Amino acid sequence: MTADPPPCDPLWLDVELDGTTPDDPRLRDLRGQGLTAVQLHTITDIPLATDHLTERNPMISNDQWATIQGLVAWLDSENGRSSDEISLRILKLTEEAGEAAQAWIGVRGQNPRKGVTHTRADVADELCDVIVTAAVALASIAGDPALHLDGKLAKIAARSRTPEVA
């Protein structure tokens, strides 16, 4: 008797996986990143650096970058932009990531003393805090944060492509 495949998030359900067994390489976690081969292929099959990330459709919109630049200007006026201040903005990212992790633990009810304490919406809010905090830190050190982000995302997409299985 074979074990059931690990449960999948509905986002990843695909008819290609019908009838697979747990030892199917498409269900194997690649690079320890929590993604199966099929999931990684689904993500990397999207031509992020070309069709989707353009001046008309950037990862973060011009309005969002304007808001982020406003946050940077506010922080600069309140705290300055010393090396210590930049360090704190980067450390703030770790704090926000910890809050996202805490919320996910709360969704899973992993702490038996507390039980389920958060919702997926709470996790989504915390992840947005991580994104905004990272964007503020990036905008605090990069001359053109949008260009830098788009270039880095294109590099990540290019190196994560997996060869097609024949």
Side-chain angles (χ1 to χ4, degrees):
M1 181 189 220
T2 62
D4 290 334
C8 292
D9 187 317
L11 175 66
W12 301 112
L13 292 181
D14 191 337
V15 293
E16 281 186 16
L17 298 179
D18 289 347
T20 58
T21 60
D23 61 340
D24 188 307
R26 293 177 294 171
L27 296 176
R28 191 169 29 102
D29 180 12
L30 297 177
R31 300 186 193 111
Q33 296 175 343
L35 296 175
T36 64
V38 169
Q39 292 167 341
L40 185 62
H41 178 71
T42 301
I43 292 168
T44 59
D45 206 26
I46 300 170
L48 294 175
T50 56
D51 295 343
H52 296 292
L53 292 179
T54 64
E55 287 183 24
R56 289 185 19 237
N57 189 21
M59 182 173 182
I60 297 177
S61 74
N62 290 335
D63 289 342
Q64 291 166 329
W65 277 119
T67 299
I68 290 163
Q69 292 290 3
L71 292 170
V72 170
W74 170 68
L75 287 171
D76 287 351
S77 70
E78 292 292 317
N79 301 337
R81 198 186 282 205
S82 67
S83 293
D84 287 343
E85 175 61 21
I86 298 299
S87 297
L88 291 172
R89 291 179 194 183
I90 293 169
L91 287 172
K92 180 72 175 167
L93 182 57
T94 303
E95 178 190 6
E96 295 297 345
E99 290 175 10
Q102 179 183 16
W104 184 246
I105 287 168
V107 165
R108 304 291 297 170
Q110 190 273 337
N111 184 332
R113 185 175 53 82
K114 295 180 180 179
V116 174
T117 58
H118 291 77
T119 65
R120 284 180 175 251
D122 294 329
V123 176
D125 284 345
E126 295 299 341
L127 291 172
C128 287
D129 288 347
V130 170
I131 293 166
V132 170
T133 302
V136 165
L138 177 62
S140 296
I141 64 167
D144 187 342
L147 182 65
H148 196 93
L149 177 61
D150 290 347
K152 181 63 176 179
L153 186 59
K155 288 177 186 176
I156 291 169
R159 75 172 181 239
S160 65
R161 301 230 186 266
T162 57
E164 294 200 9
V165 178

